[in-house]
Structures are given as C-alpha cells and as structure tokens.
Amino acid sequence: MASYARRFVKAGVRLVGGCCGTTPAHIRAMKEAVVAARPAARPPRLDAPRDESVELNTPERGAKSVLGQRLAERAFPVCVQIRSPKGCDPRPTLEHVRELHEAGVDLVSVFEGRGGARMSAFALAQIIQREVGTETLLEIASRHRTLLRMQATVLGAHALGLHNLVAVTGPPLTLGEYPDATKDFEVDSIGLSNMIRRLNEGRDVAGQSIGTPTAIHLGVHLDPFAVDTEYEVRRFEWKVDAGAEYALTPPVVDAKALVEFLPRIAHCRIPILATIPLIGRFRDVERLRQFGAGRAPQALLDRMMRAEREGREREEGLAIAVETARALREHVEGLQVVAQTARLSDVPPIVEAV
C-alpha cells in the first residue's frame, strides 16, 4: 500500500487513504512513503464556466492603489509592517502611523499576529486609511475559508477602499489533542489569486458578471530561501500566471543570497518587495537561522554576538538593516520593513538610505 500511495502522489493525486482492513500501521507506512513526495506539477485553477457576455475591463496597476502607482512609476515604495493592538483602542497605533507617514513611508502592512485579544487587521486598516490617510496592505488567507467567504471578503475590501491584498494559503491550525489533524481548505493561495483576478475582470467564481470590476492590487509571497527552491519557483510561476502583480519576501538579512536567486525567476518577474527586519537581539538572528542558513549567515550571527557582548545590539541591528536595504536598492522594486512597535523610531534611517 505504501509503494502504491507514493506512485499515486507522484502521478498527481492529492489525497490517499485506505479502505476496509486498513490499520494505523498501514497509514503510518503510507505517510512515511509520501511525506517527501511532490505531486505532479499541475497548477490549481478555478475552472468555472465563463459568461462570454461579460466585457473584461481590468484596471491598470497604477489606477488601483498608491502602491500600484509607485511601482508603475518605479518610485521604490517603502512599506512598514505594524501589528494590530490589543484591545479596542487604535489611537496609539494611529499615532505611530502618522509618524511613519511624516518620515516618508508610503504605506503600512497590517497583521493581527498572536497573543491576546487583538483588533481585526481589516478593521484597523480601514481606520488607518480613514483617520490618517496612509494606504494599507493586508494579507488574505485561503485556509479555513470557503470560496464564497473569500469572495465576499475581497468584494468588501474593495468597497472599503482596501485595495492592496496579499494572497496566502495560511498556516495550518492543529485541533485539540490531535496535532496531525488540520482543517481543510478549498483552494490554496494560487486558487485565491485566480479568484481575485476574476473579480478584477468583473466575474465571480462562477464566471458570472459582478457589474463593476474590483480594483485589487494583488500580491503574493515568494521565498528565495525555501528548502526546495525548484518547487518554490514552479509555484511562483503559477502565482504570476494566476494574476499576481507583486511579491513580498520573508525577512532578508543576506542580500547576496536574494540577489543570486532572482535570475531564477527572470522569466516570470514581477516587482519584488524585500522584507527587511529590524533586529533587536541576538536571539532574533538565531530565530531566523532556524529557517535556513541563507536567511542568517554565520557572519551575521558572529556580528550580533559581538554586539550583544558590547551592549549595542540595537545599533548593530539598525546598521545591518540599512546595509541590507542599500545592497538591495538596485535589485528589487521596494521594501517592507518589519519592526517591533518600540523600534518604529528606527525606520527613518532606512527610508533615507534608499
């Protein structure tokens, strides 16, 4: 059974199991056989029937958002990621955003994260745009959501003026005492991108007219440091084919590694926003190191270790961020800076550096 399961997965099957007589031992053997296998290359798409009476009228990038306009003009936009506050008072966060805006930041990306009762990212993004006037960027995850729910979310985001959306699959959530059990999802980030592209064309998931098309500026993730870079490039090709207009990277502290990866996506290149972390402690680098040596080279570890001994970790972390931003200035189309709330005052030097 295990050998057949592996052959099925290699042929493109996405779900394998057993019938009567299958025991936990069989399932365990099948899992071990397919865990390293990759399904046959087959980009997931939403193959709904098309209403040929619908006239395609997809908005141009520059007309969708400030970020779209900045990328169209090759103006090197800078985005800063902020975390939703605990509780229901957005005023301290709004003050931080005002300071970032005055420092020359073009937009802020909002995420909820974990830890306590935090305000909805969608709600905070709307408040920021209304109260401060700074444009926002949001992630929309496909995991744990139905197609109809995601479609409603995208339509609502457009109506609220939240036009910069990044399609992600989202992390799995374990259920109770069964860490191997996860909720399913109808499509991954590629299928979600296909859906958003359809809405931008004026069609719903069934191919029927929605009237006025949405104007979502669609982003995706790109991981240059993935363990299986061949698979990552293939998925990125599918994302671009699905309608992706720009991509964000994970935290980059090794500019050389990112620059060396970029030729591999030259045939499907879209604007790249490199994520620059503001490192505050040596253990922040160790955490990045866990994701792969390409993200945190040994030289960086040694550098932050010396800074820790000398009590100047914050200054060294800022210097590394500025150096990385300058090194990437001619290779990517923009930046996203990730910083703890207490470090937002360190963002202006990075903006000035690019």
Side-chain angles (χ1 to χ4, degrees):
M1 289 183 68
S3 62
Y4 273 107
R6 182 177 181 84
R7 290 165 63 184
F8 286 146
V9 170
K10 286 292 188 179
V13 172
R14 301 281 170 168
L15 180 66
V16 293
C19 193
C20 300
T22 304
T23 67
H26 289 101
I27 298 298
R28 190 176 301 109
M30 291 165 63
K31 177 182 177 181
E32 293 174 354
V34 305
V35 67
R38 293 287 188 188
R42 183 181 59 187
R45 300 186 66 90
L46 298 176
D47 296 321
R50 173 175 293 187
D51 182 353
E52 298 298 339
S53 65
V54 179
E55 181 180 353
L56 300 183
N57 187 26
T58 305
E60 294 294 328
R61 177 203 297 274
K64 293 178 178 178
S65 66
V66 172
L67 174 60
Q69 182 179 3
R70 297 281 289 173
L71 289 175
E73 296 172 351
R74 299 183 178 182
F76 206 82
V78 176
C79 171
V80 175
Q81 187 183 88
I82 61 172
R83 192 179 187 186
S84 292
K86 291 183 178 180
C88 57
D89 185 5
R91 288 174 295 181
T93 301
L94 295 179
E95 188 58 36
H96 288 311
V97 174
R98 290 190 182 96
E99 294 173 358
L100 292 172
H101 182 77
E102 293 174 358
V105 171
D106 297 287
L107 71 159
V108 293
S109 58
V110 185
F111 82 110
E112 294 170 14
R114 298 179 179 179
R118 294 188 176 275
M119 186 181 299
S120 159
F122 266 71
L124 180 61
Q126 184 185 8
I127 294 171
I128 289 173
Q129 294 195 169
R130 184 184 68 230
E131 300 295 330
V132 182
T134 300
E135 190 169 87
T136 59
L137 180 148
L138 289 164
E139 286 187 354
I140 175 172
S142 63
R143 196 182 293 273
H144 320 304
R145 290 184 172 95
T146 65
L147 275 174
L148 294 182
R149 181 182 174 190
M150 288 185 289
Q151 179 175 255
T153 299
V154 174
L155 292 172
H158 171 86
L160 292 172
L162 307 175
H163 294 288
N164 299 307
L165 297 182
V166 178
V168 301
T169 301
L173 297 179
T174 58
L175 304 180
E177 299 177 354
Y178 303 93
D180 293 330
T182 61
K183 292 183 178 179
D184 206 348
F185 51 92
E186 294 187 352
V187 295
D188 63 3
S189 60
I190 301 171
L192 175 56
S193 298
N194 268 305
M195 185 197 73
I196 294 175
R197 187 201 69 224
R198 282 175 175 265
L199 294 175
N200 280 346
E201 294 174 348
R203 307 175 190 271
D204 63 11
V205 293
Q208 306 303 310
S209 173
I210 63 170
T212 303
T214 58
I216 300 300
H217 191 214
L218 174 59
V220 294
H221 282 178
L222 169 67
D223 188 356
F225 316 115
V227 174
D228 188 345
T229 54
E230 181 179 348
Y231 184 62
E232 180 68 16
V233 170
R234 187 161 69 243
R235 282 186 58 83
F236 187 64
E237 293 170 346
W238 297 343
K239 292 176 182 180
V240 174
D241 184 58
E245 300 174 86
Y246 59 98
L248 284 80
T249 73
V252 178
V253 289
D254 186 356
K256 181 181 178 182
L258 174 57
V259 172
E260 291 176 348
F261 171 83
L262 292 178
R264 300 190 60 177
I265 58 168
H267 61 290
C268 57
R269 181 64 184 268
I270 55 177
I272 305 295
L273 274 66
T275 299
I276 306 296
L278 261 172
I279 301 170
R281 296 165 295 183
F282 172 71
R283 65 181 181 183
D284 293 340
V285 187
E286 289 184 309
R287 190 177 297 113
L288 289 173
R289 181 80 167 184
Q290 294 174 1
F291 292 99
R295 293 185 179 176
Q298 185 61 44
L300 181 65
L301 285 167
D302 296 339
R303 186 172 170 181
M304 286 301 296
M305 189 178 296
R306 288 194 299 271
E308 181 183 42
R309 290 196 299 265
E310 298 169 5
R312 52 180 185 84
E313 289 175 291
R314 177 168 179 163
E315 293 78 5
E316 193 66 20
L318 175 58
I320 291 170
V322 170
E323 293 169 12
T324 305
R326 285 174 175 164
L328 293 174
R329 180 63 176 84
E330 301 303 320
H331 301 280
V332 297
E333 287 69 37
L335 297 180
Q336 175 183 236
V337 181
V338 176
Q340 298 291 332
T341 301
R343 298 291 307 276
L344 291 177
S345 59
D346 288 338
V347 170
I350 301 176
V351 178
E352 295 171 2
V354 296

